[in-house]
Amino acid sequence: FTGDDAARMKLYKKLRFQSFIAGTVGYSLYYVCRTSLNVVKKPILESGALDATQLGIIGSALLFAYAIGKFVNGFLSDHSNIKRFMAAGLCVSAVANLLVGALGFANGGGMVGNMTLFIVFAEMWGVNGWSQSMGAPPAIIALSRYAINGWGVLFLQEVKGYSLATATQVISVNALLGIVGTVFSGWLSDTLFHGRRNVLAFGFGVLNTVALCLFLYSGDSMFVNLLSMVLFGMAIGVLICFLGGLMAIDIVPREATGAALGIVGMASYVGAGLQDIVSGWLINSGKTVTDGVTTYDFDTAIVFWIAASALSFI
């Protein structure tokens, strides 16, 4: 670039803003393809196509594949055209979602048996997890977090009597506020805490646990549940930014940022995958059938989630 310093700075700020918007919007679209299973768990359970234990294993297939993929793709993204890399992953994820939908339709028509549905569903969701991992390193968690994202909709339906639409809207609040927490977390730590992100991570870790308890034990009040998701989302947004990679990126050379994020991501999503298996098993063990009506007891799963959240900030 041959312009003067002012012109170069103007161009730099423009490109930086474009990168910020592209990363935020692009990664938000990734989440659309990552969390689609969560809103259909109740009808899947009611149809008898799969049980909660199987749904937990299927969810973990995505998270385990995501963990490994985040590690591998973190290294690859350091040496790739990140625009094409991110777009390719999103395309594969969309195709995997379409195939899963088609598979469910075939099962409803009696063309696919339940065991076949379970195996192929898990395989496709694993492919989706791998492609999802192609979005995180270019966009530079948590046992935390995926318990609510993965099972929160079903929890609100089963325990608090919410409709699917209302339950989905309540849970979506935490994702929206997570964006706010993520956007302002770096600025907040740099400006007020002089880069000591561990202080904020601890504080928001405590807030995350308090918000989780409020959500799980607050009853069916819409206001209180929305408030809990606002607090939970903001806390998770900060923790995702810090623990999901920023604290690791701070201490590595620029050319290794994708690799650092990949290593941290692999560890966090192995934990998230184990959570899905354990949560599914605990929820399924609390299943009772009375007069043909199936209900689920979340008490043991709730203790597991809160204990994990408290242990994480400790």
Side-chain angles (χ1 to χ4, degrees):
F1 188 78
T2 57
D4 56 22
D5 290 343
R8 281 195 293 269
M9 182 56 66
K10 182 179 179 180
L11 177 61
Y12 166 72
K13 290 181 177 180
K14 177 183 177 181
L15 294 176
R16 183 176 61 180
F17 181 73
Q18 288 177 347
S19 298
F20 171 77
I21 294 297
T24 302
V25 174
Y27 202 55
S28 297
L29 292 175
Y30 264 87
Y31 269 89
V32 174
C33 294
R34 185 186 307 176
T35 59
S36 54
L37 174 64
N38 303 334
V39 299
V40 294
K41 283 184 174 177
K42 185 173 175 64
I44 289 176
L45 291 171
E46 290 177 341
S47 71
L50 299 168
D51 61 30
T53 300
Q54 290 174 319
L55 284 175
I57 293 173
I58 290 169
S60 72
L62 181 145
L63 295 168
F64 285 141
Y66 190 97
I68 299 171
K70 203 169 184 182
F71 176 77
V72 175
N73 290 322
F75 284 89
L76 293 178
S77 68
D78 286 331
H79 307 283
S80 302
N81 182 315
I82 61 173
K83 292 184 293 184
R84 295 176 182 175
F85 195 82
M86 196 170 188
L90 187 56
C91 288
V92 174
S93 182
V95 172
N97 272 261
L98 287 172
L99 291 176
V100 165
L103 186 65
F105 181 78
N107 176 260
M111 293 178 283
V112 177
N114 284 26
M115 186 52 65
T116 301
L117 176 71
F118 168 59
I119 294 173
V120 181
F121 208 121
E123 291 176 346
M124 285 296 98
W125 219 233
V127 170
N128 188 33
W130 180 273
S131 61
Q132 285 284 321
S133 72
M134 298 174 70
I140 322 258
I141 275 182
L143 196 153
S144 12
R145 173 190 177 209
Y146 271 93
I148 295 302
N149 286 344
W151 299 99
V153 173
L154 180 63
F155 172 79
L156 287 174
Q157 290 175 290
E158 286 291 319
V159 177
K160 303 194 178 188
Y162 283 25
S163 67
L164 173 60
T166 303
T168 304
Q169 290 163 2
V170 171
I171 297 300
S172 69
V173 169
N174 99 78
L176 294 175
L177 268 296
I179 296 174
V180 176
T182 300
V183 168
F184 288 101
S185 58
W187 172 84
L188 190 63
S189 65
D190 287 341
T191 304
L192 299 182
F193 293 89
H194 306 290
R196 291 182 297 148
R197 311 194 202 281
N198 59 313
V199 177
L200 272 182
F202 174 79
F204 279 96
V206 175
L207 177 61
N208 178 66
T209 303
V210 171
L212 183 61
C213 292
L214 184 64
F215 173 71
L216 296 172
Y217 291 115
S218 62
D220 59 1
S221 168
M222 177 62 74
F223 173 78
V224 176
N225 280 288
L226 285 174
L227 175 62
S228 68
M229 286 295 94
V230 168
L231 298 176
F232 184 83
M234 292 185 66
I236 283 295
V238 174
L239 295 174
I240 289 172
C241 185
F242 289 175
L243 306 182
L246 185 56
M247 293 173 73
I249 290 170
D250 282 342
I251 61 173
V252 300
R254 179 181 177 184
E255 61 270 16
T257 53
L261 188 62
I263 291 172
V264 172
M266 180 178 68
S268 63
Y269 278 92
V270 165
L274 291 173
Q275 170 279 134
D276 232 2
I277 293 175
V278 174
S279 294
W281 178 76
L282 291 174
I283 292 169
N284 200 59
S285 66
K287 180 176 69 174
T288 57
V289 181
T290 306
D291 297 328
V293 178
T294 302
T295 57
Y296 292 88
D297 185 345
F298 280 74
D299 288 350
T300 309
I302 286 173
V303 173
F304 169 57
W305 295 338
I306 292 176
S309 180
L311 181 64
S312 69
F313 78 74
I314 290 173

